[in-house]
Amino acid sequence: AREQKMSSEHVRSRPNILITGTPGTGKSITASEVASRTGMAHVSLGEIAKEKELYDGWDEQYQCSLLDEDKAVDELEDMMSEGGNILEYHGCDFFPERWFDAVFVLRTDNTLLYDRLQQRGYSGKKLSDNVQCEIFQTILEEAMDSYSHSIVHQLTSNSTEELDHNVDTIAQFVLTWNSQIT
């Protein structure tokens, strides 16, 4: 099944993984820890968007830049076709399905998420909309609608113990994937 998703000219030697979830669920720390453990590249689309100015305007209501999804995909295409990347971002429905061998959706209890987002300075509508996004499983549904259900995995991210377990789970996926390729 993996070969069917990849171009016939190029078979990746390392997997690509997407770590996604509502802001505050632990995507960055999880991706960083998995990258450190596996030697894969941690790719933060939020950071790349800032560095490369991959924006399409400003959202007054949420006080944030709007990602130009087409520019983002164009920017990442070559890197993703090589493999060995752990991409993290809070959205997932605009990435090409062929990029990923696994999609991990981090989920957090909404009370914990509320506190985490408040600590980040979220307030008002931005805070309540992000918590509602988690309550209604918006990112999980996006992932299930955008990718084969067989590659989408839901992980709970409420504590440091769960963080450690999630890092172990994703690192084990990489190890298993690599052993199947070699």
Side-chain angles (χ1 to χ4, degrees), residues 1-6:
R2 183 170 29 248
E3 278 78 12
Q4 291 173 355
K5 289 184 204 161
M6 293 186 269

Side-chain angles (χ1 to χ4, degrees), residues 60-132:
E60 284 296 329
Q61 187 174 24
Y62 292 110
Q63 294 295 299
C64 64
S65 298
L66 297 170
L67 181 70
D68 184 321
E69 295 173 353
D70 291 333
K71 283 183 186 174
V73 168
D74 289 346
E75 181 66 33
L76 296 172
E77 183 68 50
D78 289 343
M79 178 190 327
M80 296 305 290
S81 68
E82 291 300 313
N85 299 292
I86 301 165
L87 178 63
E88 53 112 340
Y89 192 64
H90 59 264
C92 65
D93 60 350
F94 61 94
F95 299 120
E97 184 176 4
R98 70 182 181 280
W99 280 5
F100 302 111
D101 301 290
V103 176
F104 292 93
V105 181
L106 301 184
R107 303 291 317 280
T108 299
D109 174 86
N110 58 18
T111 305
L112 290 171
L113 184 64
Y114 184 92
D115 293 342
R116 289 178 188 175
L117 293 176
Q118 262 193 327
Q119 289 171 356
R120 288 185 177 188
Y122 284 41
S123 61
K125 184 166 177 54
K126 187 173 184 176
L127 175 61
S128 63
D129 284 359
N130 275 288
V131 171
Q132 282 185 356

